[in-house]
Amino acid sequence: MSTSRRKSYEAGFKLKVVDYAEEHGNRSAERQFGVSEKVVRGWRKQKGMSKTKRAARYSVSPYVDLEKELCDWIVDLRNNGLIDTRLSTRTKALQLAQKYNIPQFKSSAGWCTRFMNRCGLTLRQKTHIAQKLPKDVDEKVQNFAKFVIEERKMLDFFASKYCKHG
C-alpha cells in the first residue's frame, strides 16, 4: 500500500487526463500525467464533472460564526471548572443554530467530532481516586517523613553534600 498522502486535483486537470486516456489509453495517461491507472479509470467513470469542482475533503465549515461562539462557550465552561460533554456540545450547537437561523443544521455526532478537531478540543473528565484514603493518612505521612529523615541521618546522606547552590 502506498504511504503517499492523498492529492486533490481540479476537475479541469481530471478532464484533460480523461481526454488523453480516451485517445491513448489509461496506462499512457498514467505515464504522461503522473497519476495511477486506477485513478484514471475512476475519473473516466465520472462523467459530467464541472471544470472547477474539487474534492471537499479539507473544506472550512459553513457555520463559522456558530462554531466560533460554541468554541468560546466550551472554553469559558472549562475555565470555570465545569465539564462539557458531547451531548452538551451538540445541544448548545442546536440552540446556536436557532439563534443564527440555520434550519438545516443537524448537530450530528460526526459534525461534533470534526468541530472538536477543527477547534483543537478534546473531551476531558475529572479523574477519581480508585481507593479511599485511610482515616489515619496524616499520621502515616508524618511517620514516613520521620523514617526518611532518620534513614538519611543513619546513612549520612544530606542533600547539602551533593547539591551545589550558589
Side-chain angles (χ1 to χ4, degrees), residues 4 19 23 26 54 60 67 71 81-82 102 140 157:
S4 65
D19 290 342
E23 249 183 75
N26 292 352
R54 237 183 220 250
V60 179
E67 290 189 2
C71 188
L82 301 172
I102 308 172
K140 288 185 177 187
F157 180 81

Side-chain angles (χ1 to χ4, degrees), residues 116-132:
M116 293 181 80
N117 288 338
R118 281 191 294 272
C119 292
L121 298 171
T122 57
L123 289 178
R124 304 183 306 184
Q125 292 182 346
K126 289 185 178 179
T127 57
H128 301 282
I129 297 175
Q131 297 175 331
K132 299 242 185 237

Side-chain angles (χ1 to χ4, degrees), residues 81-156:
L82 301 172
I83 62 168
D84 61 298
T85 62
R86 284 183 159 285
L87 181 60
S88 67
T89 300
R90 291 173 63 189
T91 303
K92 182 67 175 180
L94 285 172
Q95 292 170 356
L96 292 173
Q98 287 178 342
K99 174 184 171 184
Y100 287 105
N101 196 21
I102 308 172
Q104 75 276 12
F105 185 75
K106 299 291 183 212
S107 185
S108 67
W111 170 85
C112 187
T113 300
R114 290 186 301 276
F115 159 73
M116 293 181 80
N117 288 338
R118 281 191 294 272
C119 292
L121 298 171
T122 57
L123 289 178
R124 304 183 306 184
Q125 292 182 346
K126 289 185 178 179
T127 57
H128 301 282
I129 297 175
Q131 297 175 331
K132 299 242 185 237
L133 295 174
K135 292 181 181 179
D136 58 344
V137 69
D138 292 331
E139 182 184 338
K140 288 185 177 187
V141 169
Q142 288 175 348
N143 289 340
F144 179 72
K146 286 179 188 175
F147 168 77
V148 170
I149 291 169
E150 288 180 24
E151 287 291 312
R152 287 176 58 192
K153 285 180 185 175
M154 188 175 74
L155 297 171
D156 193 32

